[in-house]
Amino acid sequence: MKKTGIVILALVGLAAAFLYPSANSNRRQSGRAQTHNQKRVLHQIPARVTSKIKPAETQHQPESNQKSAELTPEELLARLVGKWEQTKSTSRQILTINENGTATMVIEPQGIWRSVLGKKVTIDIEWRLNAATLTLRAVGGSPENKLDYIKQLWGSEFVREIHSIEEKMFTLRDDQGDVSQKWIRTSY
């Protein structure tokens, strides 16, 4: 019984090798015919009417979605203060930014990181804002041994450019200029 199954499996494999190229060529030929028909249909569609919107109107951004470079330091500070949340595949992070230059980040690890860091790590932070550059520096936290581990992995200072800041969201750029973090406001 076992030998018969192996022989049948081998024959099916050989047959598939011979049948697949012919089936694939049939697909290619029918695909070419469909593409040819599609081209004819596309040529029959009339050109779209151009929009009457003026270029200046398309470039205007609403005040709530301004780039950080367009805001004064006071406006940036006013928008930055509050409680923000970010959820990644590795953790949920809650960042509370106070007006006095202090902040707290609570990290709730997920997946394998939970077994390494535990249920929760709290980091006490000093922050500063220079133009649109946000610097966060860890100055304490708990549990202390987990905080030391985090500092070894990712460092104790975090410097990022604020890409955009709205009433309910802000984004940060990484060192390569890519938008790398999106924070959602949970309270003021």
Side-chain angles (χ1 to χ4, degrees), residues 10-132:
L11 290 174
V12 169
L14 284 174
F18 288 107
L19 292 176
Y20 179 73
S22 65
N24 195 23
S25 67
N26 288 341
R27 274 192 224 128
R28 271 190 241 132
Q29 287 175 354
S30 86
R32 284 185 196 130
Q34 286 176 347
T35 304
H36 183 67
N37 289 339
Q38 286 174 347
K39 285 180 183 175
R40 276 190 270 151
V41 171
L42 288 176
H43 288 298
Q44 295 171 0
I45 297 174
R48 300 268 186 242
V49 177
T50 57
S51 175
K52 304 268 187 212
I53 299 175
K54 297 174 188 170
E57 291 175 11
T58 59
Q59 293 175 358
H60 176 66
Q61 292 179 333
E63 187 175 316
S64 65
N65 188 18
Q66 289 179 317
K67 299 286 184 205
S68 59
E70 298 171 354
L71 299 171
T72 67
E74 294 78 21
E75 290 172 323
L76 258 175
L77 175 64
R79 289 189 184 186
L80 201 56
V81 171
K83 193 172 187 177
W84 303 88
E85 185 175 318
Q86 168 177 243
T87 302
K88 298 180 175 183
S89 61
T90 57
S91 66
R92 176 177 173 227
Q93 300 172 1
I94 302 162
L95 176 64
T96 305
I97 300 175
N98 304 312
E99 194 170 347
N100 65 1
T102 63
T104 304
M105 182 179 292
V106 176
I107 302 171
E108 297 172 349
Q110 297 175 357
I112 193 164
W113 285 105
R114 190 174 196 130
S115 62
V116 174
L117 297 173
K119 289 183 180 181
K120 182 170 94 170
V121 178
T122 304
I123 303 172
D124 299 323
I125 297 170
E126 286 181 354
W127 67 270
R128 67 180 183 276
L129 189 61
N130 183 9

Side-chain angles (χ1 to χ4, degrees), residues 137-151:
R137 188 171 58 86
V139 293
S142 65
E144 207 168 303
N145 63 338
K146 304 300 181 182
L147 181 62
D148 290 339
Y149 183 72
I150 289 173
K151 285 181 181 180

